[in-house]
Amino acid sequence: TDIELVVYERGGLSSDTLQAINSIGSDDIVLDWLRDNNQEDWSSNNENVRAIPRKRPTDGKLRVVFIFGEHGRELVTTEVGEYFIKLLSEASVETLLPIFDNDRLFVDSVLKALDDTVVHIVPCENKSARRIVETEDGPGPRTVKLLDEEVVSKYPSNICQRPNVRGVDPNRNWPLYWNVKPTDYQLEQEYGGPAALSEPETRLLFRVYDSVEPLAVVNVHSGMHGMFTPPDYSPIMLNTAASLAEVKLQSQLNQRWMDGKCTVGAGGHAVGYVAYGTHNDFVHTGFGVPSAETWEIAGNWFASYKNCMETYNPIEKDELKEYVRNWTGMALEHITHLHQGLIPGIRSPADKFSEEVASLPEPNTCGLTESHVNAMRGLSDLALGRGDKLERSSFVANAMASTPTLIMPTLQEEEDWDEEDSAPSTEMGDHVSGAKQARTAGGSSEGKPSINVSNGVPSTTSVVEDLKKKVMISRTASSSYSFMLGSYSIMIFGITFVTVSYLVYRRFGFRASGRRVGRLPR
């Protein structure tokens, strides 16, 4: 096989590559599921979507899957994966203490958790892309395969290869919202394939999840610093006890291991764009995995988009060593959190916070609304015994039920809007036609996803118009390099630039004129 699966149990690697791959069955498992499920249901995420029944292993062990190297150019992820395998295979007090600053309490908690944990690791999911990345650039323009045709790439170097050798992004090839395209869709980077689960990478992982029945999955990427929870298809985070506990714990890990560098929150908000057909959204919905996290472990937004080595990977040797050590430590601590039942639904009740989670500070998190904050506070009150139990339980239930929803416009919907905008205005107004009124009011045109906004979010008409403006900004910017967070990053950069300029002026301008450097005289 072209894809490796490494299985770790306490005491070392419990299975070699061939045995691990053979133990998870063949592609017939995938084909049977595809025959039994209507892809149109999954692409629209309608009421017919049903999670795959879980067999629930009876040995009592925690099962965790780590995925590395889903995109070829994200080389640092496989470095972390390989080091993680080595660390696990030699895990002991003697080996871990020197790496983690002789923190005996941390090391003991890690070893205790590993005693009850099976870790499945895919060290390099997208090997065909990795081979392209490691191939020297040839003379002349670089070409890539798109829809079975060879075309000139916008990226001049093989190092920038993201999708597999067939031009398919494995992280857009999953059934949930498959083939739904965001308004800033890039064919070369985000092609979801001829059909859902068409690629060897996604089929392997499907077989792993069907066989392993993991309680937690971590999909490791690079391109920025971040830790995300589902969904990727919406900017608003899921409002569940598990998701709320996860962002609290992610914020704690972020402070300890990354000095607060990471953006934390809903994938569709924190990364700066929504995505459809993604791995984590299907793993969470389709397989019912309670914890499905995306980690973005490195990134340089100030590098040119054509310089993919620096954009997605640490360059200096010491910096790479630090990243590998810190993210490996974070992975080990994440396992201890899972083992201790700190994420609801994993070795703990699905609808409750533990006292430890309740005692953590409220995080600065992307994708939270007032409903999320209220639910988080109510769950914390219940865990810490504050207030009346029945009243607090009702408060949490109402907060979760009142969570607003915002389904972003798709590329096809935007084209529909453009056509409608060119038509004569009606008595309903110049900006929103009757068709758009029906679609934004919570209905759906021919079964397509609709924009649905409620509970304190601005009116649907204003939301649609605002999104259209942002779409135009996004599409204009997509023809040249822009920061991942688009207009927000530009604003932050501008403020930072003005502030730095002012400080430089104070330091050097005042000194040159003989005035005192420091606080200005009153």
Side-chain angles (χ1 to χ4, degrees):
T1 180
D2 193 37
I3 302 173
E4 295 179 0
L5 174 65
V6 178
V7 183
Y8 165 85
E9 285 190 85
R10 192 76 175 96
L13 303 182
S14 64
S15 177
D16 64 26
T17 297
L18 184 60
Q19 290 172 335
I21 290 294
N22 287 344
S23 69
I24 62 173
S26 67
D27 276 358
D28 289 342
I29 295 170
V30 183
L31 298 176
D32 288 344
W33 185 88
L34 289 170
R35 278 192 295 267
D36 293 340
N37 286 265
N38 185 342
Q39 180 53 53
E40 291 184 3
D41 292 335
W42 284 91
S43 288
S44 60
N45 193 18
N46 64 32
E47 66 277 2
N48 295 321
V49 165
R50 295 288 184 271
I52 299 168
R54 295 177 63 83
K55 296 185 284 290
R56 303 290 183 187
T58 58
D59 61 6
K61 290 195 173 184
L62 172 67
R63 285 171 164 76
V64 188
V65 178
F66 285 87
I67 309 298
F68 302 91
E70 189 162 67
H71 295 139
R73 62 195 178 194
E74 298 167 9
L75 303 174
V76 64
T77 69
T78 60
E79 293 291 325
V80 173
E82 290 174 4
Y83 185 74
F84 192 34
I85 293 170
K86 181 178 184 296
L87 205 64
L88 288 174
S89 66
E90 301 172 351
S92 67
V93 172
E94 292 73 23
T95 59
L96 296 181
L97 276 178
I99 298 171
F100 299 112
D101 301 327
N102 293 310
D103 186 341
R104 185 60 184 260
L105 184 63
F106 170 70
V107 169
D108 286 344
S109 67
V110 166
L111 294 176
K112 180 180 179 180
L114 291 177
D115 281 337
D116 291 325
T117 302
V118 182
V119 183
H120 291 73
I121 300 171
V122 178
C124 186
E125 177 193 337
N126 192 351
K127 277 197 169 183
S128 65
R130 181 60 177 259
R131 290 194 189 96
I132 293 173
V133 166
E134 294 176 349
T135 301
E136 186 176 350
D137 293 325
R142 176 175 177 259
T143 62
V144 294
K145 179 175 285 189
L146 289 179
L147 302 175
D148 296 325
E149 293 184 10
E150 291 290 330
V151 300
V152 176
S153 172
K154 66 178 285 188
Y155 298 93
S157 174
N158 286 335
I159 292 175
C160 291
Q161 182 72 19
R162 169 187 167 103
N164 66 16
V165 71
R166 301 204 302 174
V168 178
D169 180 355
N171 204 27
R172 301 292 185 273
N173 189 234
W174 292 87
L176 188 63
Y177 288 122
W178 175 79
N179 206 34
V180 177
K181 299 177 177 65
T183 53
D184 56 354
Y185 175 70
Q186 299 181 59
L187 178 62
E188 181 178 342
Q189 300 294 295
E190 298 180 272
Y191 176 47
L197 297 173
S198 61
E199 304 307 297
E201 296 85 5
T202 51
R203 290 189 174 191
L204 167 81
L205 295 182
F206 189 103
R207 291 156 52 202
V208 169
Y209 301 139
D210 184 76
S211 172
V212 170
E213 297 279 353
L215 290 171
V217 173
V218 179
N219 194 355
V220 183
H221 288 264
S222 66
M224 63 180 292
H225 299 93
M227 304 177 75
F228 313 139
T229 63
D232 295 324
Y233 58 78
S234 172
I236 297 179
M237 196 178 82
L238 298 177
N239 196 357
T240 64
S243 292
L244 297 173
E246 279 187 291
V247 293
K248 279 193 152 196
L249 293 167
Q250 286 174 344
S251 297
Q252 181 190 53
L253 292 173
N254 178 30
Q255 293 298 327
R256 171 169 181 174
W257 296 99
M258 293 301 295
D259 294 325
K261 285 183 181 179
C262 295
T263 303
V264 174
H269 190 296
V271 77
Y273 56 84
V274 294
Y276 303 98
T278 65
H279 167 276
N280 277 19
D281 281 349
F282 183 79
V283 166
H284 181 76
T285 301
F287 282 102
V289 175
S291 173
E293 298 189 9
T294 300
W295 292 0
E296 295 271 356
I297 64 174
N300 180 0
W301 291 355
F302 297 98
S304 165
Y305 79 92
K306 295 181 179 181
N307 184 356
C308 292
M309 179 59 77
E310 290 192 23
T311 299
Y312 294 93
N313 306 282
I315 300 301
E316 300 298 328
K317 184 176 180 180
D318 289 344
E319 185 183 21
L320 174 61
K321 184 177 180 180
E322 180 183 4
Y323 271 83
V324 169
R325 180 260 186 193
N326 288 347
W327 282 99
T328 304
M330 196 180 300
L332 292 173
E333 187 164 357
H334 179 55
I335 290 174
T336 69
H337 290 166
L338 296 166
H339 181 260
Q340 294 166 16
L342 300 187
I343 297 179
I346 301 177
R347 301 169 69 93
S348 61
D351 58 350
K352 297 179 180 179
F353 275 3
S354 66
E355 290 187 20
E356 182 173 342
V357 168
S359 299
L360 293 174
E362 289 183 3
N364 183 13
T365 301
C366 295
L368 290 187
T369 66
E370 183 179 0
S371 297
H372 293 83
V373 174
N374 286 339
M376 187 181 294
R377 290 173 179 173
L379 288 166
S380 296
D381 289 343
L382 286 167
L384 298 175
R386 296 190 298 234
D388 179 76
K389 184 175 181 181
L390 289 178
E391 186 277 329
R392 289 287 82 189
S393 297
S394 177
F395 179 78
V396 170
N398 289 334
M400 291 181 174
S402 66
T403 307
T405 60
L406 177 60
I407 301 177
M408 300 294 283
T410 64
L411 188 60
Q412 180 59 45
E413 285 176 330
E414 190 204 25
E415 292 169 354
D416 293 342
W417 291 347
D418 292 340
E419 292 175 3
E420 292 163 356
D421 282 342
S422 66
S425 62
T426 70
E427 60 182 8
M428 292 185 180
D430 294 335
H431 300 294
V432 183
S433 71
K436 278 185 281 185
Q437 287 268 3
R439 195 155 60 236
T440 58
S444 180
S445 176
E446 298 180 1
K448 296 177 182 176
S450 62
I451 296 177
N452 181 4
V453 186
S454 59
N455 300 309
V457 178
S459 68
T460 55
T461 299
S462 63
V463 169
V464 171
E465 293 305 316
D466 183 56
L467 288 173
K468 287 177 68 178
K469 293 175 184 177
K470 292 177 180 178
V471 164
M472 293 306 298
I473 293 171
S474 175
R475 295 188 73 183
T476 302
S478 66
S479 61
S480 61
Y481 180 73
S482 63
F483 293 142
M484 285 188 177
L485 296 182
S487 57
Y488 293 107
S489 290
I490 295 173
M491 178 182 69
I492 293 170
F493 178 77
I495 293 171
T496 304
F497 177 78
V498 171
T499 303
V500 171
S501 299
Y502 175 68
L503 293 175
V504 170
Y505 169 74
R506 287 183 60 190
R507 180 174 181 83
F508 296 103
F510 293 169
R511 180 176 295 166
S513 63
R515 295 173 63 184
R516 180 168 62 90
V517 177
R519 192 206 307 239
L520 293 174
R522 298 190 179 190

